Amino acid sequence: YGDQLIAHTLGGAVRKGEKQEKEYGKTKITYGDSALFEGLTTSSVWMSHTDLIEKAPEGFDIVATTEVCPVAAMENTAKKIYGVQFHPEVEHSQEGHKIISNFLYNICKVSGDWTTTSFIDDKIKELKDKIGDKKALCALSGGVDS
């Protein structure tokens, strides 16, 4: 519900959807012109909402819609704020991986060269630079509750 919170907080209009406006499950979506949806026009995404954004906040462009959701995605590129009403992270969203990739590489401009090996090597160097010839104690847990 981050998209709805963004809209509400920044002056948009969010309201409880009528029965026919509630979307849960696979939903056809139409994408507009946005770096977030580069290379996409329509697909099927996973929705799960009862409330919906009726009006985007001032300065936001509506960049995706569904048959019943007037603001399925919105963006304010000047402020670098992007919101989606659906779940791109689940396998039921056909192009979710592409949307996440577009966000990371086209919008956030990440390099994509991070690996666990480079992380370990970088941290070891960073700690050696900080600690020098002194001793350090490391307490490490790999449990799921850590």
Side-chain angles (χ1 to χ4, degrees):
Y1 298 89
D3 194 32
Q4 296 159 340
L5 181 61
I6 291 168
H8 174 74
T9 303
L10 298 178
V14 179
R15 68 172 171 78
K16 182 176 179 125
E18 301 296 324
K19 183 177 181 180
Q20 69 275 13
E21 294 173 313
K22 298 175 183 180
E23 292 175 312
Y24 185 82
K26 285 189 177 185
T27 304
K28 182 182 175 195
I29 192 165
T30 302
Y31 304 111
D33 184 29
S34 169
L36 190 59
F37 305 123
E38 184 179 313
L40 305 174
T41 53
T42 62
S43 71
S44 178
V45 295
W46 192 260
M47 286 281 198
S48 63
H49 69 89
T50 54
D51 296 341
L52 56 87
I53 299 168
E54 189 170 49
K55 178 182 165 288
E58 188 175 322
F60 279 75
D61 294 318
I62 298 169
V63 292
T65 60
T66 72
E67 188 175 301
V68 298
C69 188
V71 186
M74 63 181 186
E75 66 184 20
N76 181 320
T77 56
K79 293 184 178 179
K80 299 182 180 180
I81 301 173
Y82 298 80
V84 297
Q85 179 75 38
F86 57 93
H87 296 275
E89 77 280 6
V90 300
E91 66 181 51
H92 303 303
S93 290
Q94 289 178 332
E95 300 290 347
H97 65 282
K98 175 74 171 155
I99 295 165
I100 292 169
S101 178
N102 283 344
F103 180 72
L104 292 172
Y105 297 108
N106 297 351
I107 295 168
C108 297
K109 304 294 185 195
V110 299
S111 61
D113 59 355
W114 185 91
T115 65
T116 53
T117 302
S118 69
F119 174 79
I120 293 167
D121 292 342
D122 291 346
K123 285 297 167 192
I124 289 171
K125 182 184 180 320
E126 181 184 323
L127 288 169
K128 283 183 177 182
D129 290 346
K130 255 186 206 177
I131 298 166
D133 61 353
K134 297 179 184 123
K135 301 256 184 220
L137 174 66
C138 175
L140 182 65
S141 170
V144 295
D145 61 340
S146 295

